[in-house]
């Protein structure tokens, strides 16, 4: 027999009831039905309160109370990862899935090739002073803010701005940046695959200069030529010694260098001549031919991305157990090997033991530290919001932020020892200073390190190990970049959620086709352009606006309470949230936006037209780069204009409406929205989907805020149901 408290319960018709019963009979039946349901819910409420008191009196549960003293839903803190908390959206299916995904997203190729280079360029150990300061005041605050925002709303970067629709453009800009970076970042992974396949040979192809792609200035082809005329050859005015029309060597290295001629390592010529085919292109205007081997390597990279994301976070969350951990295993192995090489100490000494304290007085050093922290953590690209949106509501986002941020920076520091131990060995073998072989960017990963590996016994093994590490480092970051785009598409069109496989496939195909430009002769020129302009100061502008939106429009006071109901009163061991939230108020409200603003202004002041080696980009190429930057900037403000146009009322009323929370802003599940008791008039169930009682037994009506007159008697039009029509 059906229960009268069941929403589907119907009063049975009497046997003699006719289809045309009068209105009085209908009203009596309806009233009886309502009374039965009310009695049922009252009984359930009394039972629930008795259970809640029993739980509340348990000392073990004292620390898990909400600000109002009610026990948080116990099931959220004793998580069963075999089922999703948010069944419609899905959640991470393992306790470490999220942390490893964030760690893999943050720890990328830049940790291996950029950080060590910045250390030796900016005073060695002294660089850690501005680096750590920028981590504390810029990096961690932005990281924690984005994790908290995505987790609280359970929305990706495109739809998490419902607290103020005017900032929807931040999400649009994030998605554009992630898409642009995903295109060229996967190309770097494709190069790593190319090198990996080329390493399966007993003699590495970048070990000598006797290949079709080598030039006459390949270092192993140049012979000692200080006595050029004595040998019967001709001394050129450019410092080159000629044997007829062919190059014999350099009779004056200084003169040759002044004329742009230097010996090229075999590993550099392999990269430029064989992998990039850059010698066949004169610049951006000369794209040349599409190379099938690079296109296939890029296709392989996208196939791996597709199959890793085919089930969303359910599949990528398991792949990262390998891709996030394996690089650390390889780094440890390589460090042990590096410390056994002759000359390793000179590299370590150059890296960390020659501090130059005067570098602290140079503004460029602080700018480098801020930029490295900012981009190393991948902040304001949308990936952190996308990943955290799949968290369970009571996940400790503060703990995860500290773990990932600090681990990322320690990884950079540790990778420096690995890299410079090999650079010390390479410098010893070549008889030069470490500073002459050290390089930044791509040169360190694909020129210097392969060159060092080629000189070590068992070069094939070490090359394979190194490039597998590069691939795994890159894949984690690419997972998050693509997931950011896919999550945003599905959040905007929830009906596509059941077709997520097709969304991932279409996204991967489109980005792959756009990336084919990078597989041409001139592809490296375009990749450098994208790297410089797609995620530069425009990303810092995104971070600046994030701080403004959270602290000054939504309000820090409310955001800190949002965080409290997620992570509890004691998120950091015995340190209460009330004792530390002021730190986030200071950083988000002042220090972080000022720091980000400093980086932006300094970037504008120090702007130099892009060059790639000796190639100077033409004006139209720089315009193309600035167009990529401005696409992101325009994306920031188009939604603002759109919402101002479609909103109703006077200009002031329109602005107020798009700066106010929508009725559906807040946690995704009604049981978590019930915890928002600190906002007058907050709507518990805006979509009317909560027809069941809470999992801890508290019925829906126990926290009914679906009224205009809230419990505190404060009228708040921002949360009126009629506000739906304005958005």
């Amino acid at each position: 027999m059906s229960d009268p408290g069941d929403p589907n319960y119907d009063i049975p018709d009497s046997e003699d009831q006719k289809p045309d019963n009068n209105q009085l009979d209908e009203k009596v039946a309806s009233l009886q039905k309502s009374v039965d349901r009310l009695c049922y819910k009252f009984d359930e409420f009394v039972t629930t309160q008795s259970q809640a008191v029993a739980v509340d009196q348990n000392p073990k549960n004292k620390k898990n109370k909400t600000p109002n003293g009610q026990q948080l839903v116990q099931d959220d803190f004793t998580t069963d990862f075999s089922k999703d908390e948010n069944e419609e959206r899905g959640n991470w299916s393992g306790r470490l899935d999220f942390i490893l995904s964030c760690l893999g997203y943050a720890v990328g190729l830049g940790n291996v090739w950029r950080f060590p280079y910045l250390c030796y360029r900016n005073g060695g150990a002294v660089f850690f002073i501005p680096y750590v300061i920028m981590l504390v005041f810029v990096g961690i605050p932005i990281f924690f803010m984005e994790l908290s925002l995505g987790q609280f709303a359970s929305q990706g970067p495109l739809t998490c701005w419902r607290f103020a629709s005017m900032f929807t453009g931040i999400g649009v800009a994030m998605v554009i940046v992630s898409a642009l970076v995903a295109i060229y970042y996967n190309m770097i992974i494709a190069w790593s695959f190319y090198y990996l396949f080329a390493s399966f040979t007993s003699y590495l192809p970048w070990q000598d200069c006797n290949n079709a792609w080598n030039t006459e200035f390949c270092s192993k082809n140049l012979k000692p030529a200080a006595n050029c005329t004595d040998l019967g050859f001709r001394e050129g005015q450019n410092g080159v010694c000629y044997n007829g029309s062919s190059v014999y060597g350099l009779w004056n290295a200084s003169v040759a260098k002044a004329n742009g001629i230097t010996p090229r390592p075999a590993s550099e010529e392999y990269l430029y001549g064989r992998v990039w085919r850059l010698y066949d292109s004169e610049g951006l205007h000369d794209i040349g031919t599409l190379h099938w081997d690079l296109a296939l390597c890029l296709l392989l990279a996208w196939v791996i991305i597709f199959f890793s994301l085919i089930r969303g976070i359910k599949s990528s969350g398991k792949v990262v157990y390998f891709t996030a951990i394996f690089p650390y295993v390889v780094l440890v192995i390589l460090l042990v090997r590096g410390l056994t090489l002759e000359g390793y100490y000179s590299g370590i000494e150059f890296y960390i033991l020659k501090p130059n304290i005067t570098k602290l007085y140079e503004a460029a050093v602080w700018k480098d530290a801020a930029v490295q922290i900012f981009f190393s953590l991948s902040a304001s690209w949308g990936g952190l919001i996308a990943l955290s949106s799949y968290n369970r509501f009571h996940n400790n986002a503060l703990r995860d932020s500290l773990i990932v941020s600090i681990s990322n920076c320690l990884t950079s520091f540790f990778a420096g020892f690995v890299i410079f131990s090999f650079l010390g060995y390479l410098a010893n073998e070549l008889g030069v200073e470490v500073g002459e072989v050290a390089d930044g960017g791509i040169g360190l990963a694909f020129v210097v390190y392969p060159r060092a590996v080629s000189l070590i016994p068992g070069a094939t093994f070490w090359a394979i190990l190194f490039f597998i590490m590069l691939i795994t480092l890159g894949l984690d970051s690419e997972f998050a970049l693509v997931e950011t785009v896919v999550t945003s598409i599905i959040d905007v069109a929830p009906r596509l959620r059941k077709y997520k496989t097709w969304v991932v496939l279409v996204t991967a195909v489109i980005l792959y086709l756009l990336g084919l430009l990078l597989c041409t002769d001139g592809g490296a020129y375009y990749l450098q352009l994208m790297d410089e302009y797609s995620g530069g100061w425009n990303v810092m502008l995104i971070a600046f606006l994030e701080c403004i939106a959270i602290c000054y429009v939504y309000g820090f006071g409310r955001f800190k309470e949002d965080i409290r109901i997620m992570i509890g009163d004691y998120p950091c061991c015995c340190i209460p949230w009330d004792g530390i939230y002021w730190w986030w108020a200071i950083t988000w409200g002042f220090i972080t936006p000022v720091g980000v603003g400093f980086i932006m202004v300094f970037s504008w002041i120090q702007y130099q037209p892009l060059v790639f080696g000796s190639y100077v980009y033409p004006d139209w190429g720089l315009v193309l780069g600035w167009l990529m930057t401005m696409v992101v900037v325009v994306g920031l403000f188009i939604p603002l204009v759109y919402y101002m146009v479609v909103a109703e009322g006077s200009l002031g009323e329109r602005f107020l409406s798009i700066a106010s929370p929508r009725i559906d802003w807040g946690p995704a599940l009604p049981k978590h929205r019930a915890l928002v008791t600190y906002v007058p008039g907050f709507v518990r169930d805006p979509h009317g989907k909560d027809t069941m009682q809470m999992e801890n037994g508290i019925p829906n009506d126990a926290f009914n805020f679906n009224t205009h007159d809230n419990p505190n008697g404060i009228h708040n039009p921002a949360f009126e149901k009629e506000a739906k029509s304005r958005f």
Side-chain angles (χ1 to χ4, degrees):
M1 183 174 180
S2 63
D3 198 306
D6 190 332
N8 297 320
Y9 172 81
D10 289 317
I11 302 298
D13 297 334
S14 60
E15 295 181 0
D16 58 347
Q17 190 174 17
K18 300 282 198 292
D20 56 344
N21 282 334
N22 58 46
Q23 294 183 353
L24 180 62
D25 290 337
E26 293 177 353
K27 289 184 177 181
V28 170
S30 176
L31 179 62
Q32 181 64 45
K33 181 178 179 180
S34 299
V35 170
D36 290 341
R37 182 179 291 109
L38 180 63
C39 292
Y40 171 81
K41 288 193 173 185
F42 178 79
D43 292 340
E44 285 295 304
F45 178 72
V46 172
T47 303
T48 297
Q49 294 305 302
S50 300
Q51 295 172 348
V53 170
V55 173
D56 191 52
Q57 292 176 347
N58 188 344
K60 296 182 179 180
N61 296 323
K62 292 293 184 182
K63 65 178 181 180
N64 291 333
K65 292 183 178 181
T66 67
N68 293 329
Q70 292 174 329
Q71 176 67 30
L72 288 175
V73 183
Q74 187 175 3
D75 185 55
D76 289 326
F77 285 98
T78 56
T79 307
D80 178 9
F81 284 96
S82 64
K83 61 180 181 179
D84 289 334
E85 176 183 76
N86 188 333
E87 296 181 357
E88 179 180 355
R89 183 179 184 82
N91 299 107
W92 296 102
S93 56
R95 196 170 296 277
L96 294 178
D97 290 17
F98 172 66
I99 292 181
L100 290 178
S101 295
C102 281
L103 186 62
Y105 179 43
V107 177
L109 297 171
N111 295 74
V112 173
W113 70 40
R114 180 170 171 80
F115 178 80
Y117 169 73
L118 290 176
C119 276
Y120 97 78
R121 193 180 75 177
N122 292 304
V126 169
F127 183 68
F128 285 98
I129 297 176
Y131 184 75
V132 172
I133 290 175
M134 288 298 175
L135 169 67
V136 173
F137 291 103
V138 176
I140 294 178
I142 291 292
F143 202 95
F144 180 42
M145 175 192 290
E146 294 193 352
L147 291 195
S148 300
L149 180 61
Q151 180 174 309
F152 180 75
S154 295
Q155 293 289 331
L158 203 55
T159 51
C160 69
W161 309 99
R162 292 173 179 171
F163 65 82
S165 299
M166 63 186 294
F167 291 106
T168 302
I170 295 178
V172 174
M174 286 178 168
V175 174
I176 295 173
V177 169
S178 292
L180 289 173
V181 175
I183 293 172
Y184 77 80
Y185 202 84
N186 223 19
M187 190 67 235
I188 299 176
I189 298 175
W191 295 342
S192 300
F193 273 116
Y194 192 97
Y195 271 87
L196 176 64
F197 298 145
S199 299
F200 285 93
T201 177
S202 58
Y203 192 78
L204 298 176
W206 55 84
Q207 285 185 273
D208 59 49
C209 295
N210 301 319
N211 305 287
W213 57 82
N214 291 123
T215 69
E216 53 191 0
F217 291 107
C218 188
S219 58
K220 293 189 177 182
N221 287 338
L222 297 176
K223 302 175 180 62
N227 55 345
C228 181
T229 55
D230 294 340
L231 295 172
F233 303 137
R234 176 174 58 87
E235 292 182 353
Q237 293 183 352
N238 57 1
V240 178
C241 179
Y242 292 96
N243 179 8
S245 59
S246 61
V247 174
Y248 179 80
L250 301 180
W251 68 270
N252 191 317
S254 299
V255 174
K257 185 175 182 180
N259 285 274
I261 300 173
T262 56
R264 297 171 181 165
S267 58
E268 179 181 319
E269 294 220 327
Y270 180 77
L271 176 64
Y272 280 70
R274 183 68 183 94
V275 181
W276 290 348
R277 280 81 161 188
L278 208 60
Y279 295 152
D280 298 327
S281 174
E282 296 180 358
L284 289 178
H285 65 283
D286 186 13
I287 296 177
T289 59
L290 178 69
H291 300 286
W292 65 268
D293 47 0
L294 285 179
L296 288 179
C297 287
L298 182 61
L299 178 62
L300 174 61
W302 277 112
V303 168
I304 293 175
I305 296 298
F306 169 71
F307 282 105
S308 298
L309 297 179
I310 194 170
R311 294 183 59 239
I313 59 170
K314 300 298 184 184
S315 51
S316 66
K318 299 309 177 188
V319 175
V320 294
Y321 277 81
F322 171 74
T323 57
I325 296 175
F326 182 75
Y328 290 96
V329 176
V330 176
L331 284 173
V332 171
I333 294 173
L334 292 176
L335 177 62
V336 173
R337 183 66 181 100
L339 295 179
T340 63
L341 298 173
E342 186 178 358
Y344 81 91
Y345 184 78
S346 62
I348 300 299
E349 182 183 35
F350 190 89
Y351 171 49
I352 199 68
L353 299 178
K354 289 185 177 181
N356 183 359
I357 197 70
T358 61
K359 285 286 186 178
L360 291 178
Y361 298 101
E362 298 179 12
V365 174
W366 292 84
K367 179 254 185 182
D368 282 347
V371 170
Q372 176 61 16
I373 280 292
F374 199 85
F375 293 105
S376 177
L377 292 175
S378 302
S380 300
W381 288 12
L384 297 177
I385 296 177
L387 295 177
S388 63
S389 70
Y390 295 102
N391 276 339
R392 285 165 168 77
F393 188 75
H394 292 297
N395 177 69
N396 193 332
L398 177 58
R399 173 203 61 202
D400 294 348
S401 299
L402 295 176
I403 290 175
V404 175
S405 299
I406 296 174
S407 298
N408 171 72
C409 297
L410 291 178
T411 301
S412 298
F413 179 58
F414 180 71
F417 285 96
V418 178
I419 296 301
F420 275 90
S421 64
F422 279 87
L423 293 181
Y425 167 76
L426 182 59
N428 181 73
E429 287 291 310
L430 300 177
V432 298
E433 294 294 328
V434 175
E436 296 182 29
V437 297
D439 192 10
I442 293 175
L444 185 58
F446 293 104
V447 176
V448 177
Y449 198 87
R451 184 183 183 189
V453 167
S454 67
L455 301 175
I456 302 175
T460 297
F461 171 77
W462 298 109
I464 292 173
L465 201 62
F466 176 74
F467 288 113
I468 290 178
M469 180 188 72
L470 286 188
I471 291 169
T472 53
L473 280 173
L475 285 175
D476 292 330
S477 299
E478 187 70 12
F479 289 159
L481 291 170
V482 179
E483 184 64 50
T484 300
V485 178
V486 172
T487 296
S488 300
I489 294 173
I490 292 177
D491 283 344
V492 171
R495 288 179 293 181
L496 295 176
R497 197 175 303 279
K498 59 182 177 180
Y499 305 110
K500 186 168 186 176
T501 298
W502 290 102
V503 176
V504 175
L505 178 61
V506 172
T507 302
V509 169
I510 292 175
L511 296 182
Y512 169 70
L513 294 176
L514 293 174
L516 287 178
L517 173 65
L518 308 179
C519 298
T520 61
D521 292 335
Y525 292 119
Y526 283 92
L527 186 140
Q528 187 74 14
L529 191 70
M530 295 181 70
D531 183 43
E532 180 72 16
Y533 288 99
S534 61
W537 63 264
N538 49 7
V539 176
M540 290 179 275
L541 179 59
I542 293 173
F544 180 84
L545 292 177
E546 282 184 283
C547 294
I548 300 301
I550 291 293
C551 286
Y552 297 106
V553 177
Y554 183 57
F556 174 80
R558 178 169 172 179
F559 192 54
K560 74 176 176 63
E561 295 303 320
D562 294 342
I563 295 174
R564 187 197 300 272
I565 65 172
M566 289 191 295
I567 65 179
D569 285 327
Y570 293 87
C572 292
C573 301
C574 59
I575 303 176
W577 176 244
D578 286 332
I580 60 175
Y581 73 71
W582 59 268
W583 167 255
W584 306 109
I586 295 173
T587 52
W588 293 338
F590 178 72
I591 299 177
T592 301
V594 169
V596 171
F598 158 75
I599 304 171
M600 282 195 297
V601 173
F602 194 86
S603 298
W604 296 334
I605 295 175
Q606 296 293 320
Y607 173 75
Q608 295 289 337
L610 181 64
V611 296
F612 184 26
S614 60
Y615 177 72
V616 179
Y617 280 77
D619 291 340
W620 68 267
L622 297 178
V623 170
L624 182 61
W626 278 103
L627 283 176
M628 284 189 283
T629 297
M630 296 311 297
V631 164
V632 177
V633 175
V634 171
L636 281 168
F637 298 103
I638 285 181
L640 171 62
V641 175
Y642 169 77
Y643 283 118
M644 282 294 291
V645 171
V646 300
E648 299 177 355
S650 65
L651 185 64
E653 291 173 339
R654 294 183 183 191
F655 186 82
L656 180 61
S657 68
I658 66 175
S660 302
R662 287 175 28 165
I663 194 172
D664 57 350
W665 159 252
L669 302 181
K671 70 173 184 177
H672 295 141
R673 297 179 68 90
L675 302 175
V676 187
T677 58
Y678 46 86
V679 178
F682 188 77
V683 178
R684 158 75 186 280
D685 187 15
H687 301 292
K689 295 182 179 180
D690 190 20
T691 58
M692 302 294 291
Q693 64 180 10
M694 291 178 64
E695 294 183 15
N696 66 339
I698 302 177
N700 297 336
D701 292 347
F703 298 101
N704 183 14
F705 300 125
N706 291 298
T707 62
H708 292 239
D709 296 320
N710 58 74
N712 295 327
I714 302 175
H715 186 68
N716 189 348
F719 293 92
E720 291 179 356
K721 291 184 178 180
E722 288 80 6
K724 284 183 178 180
S725 62
R726 295 188 294 176
F727 303 100

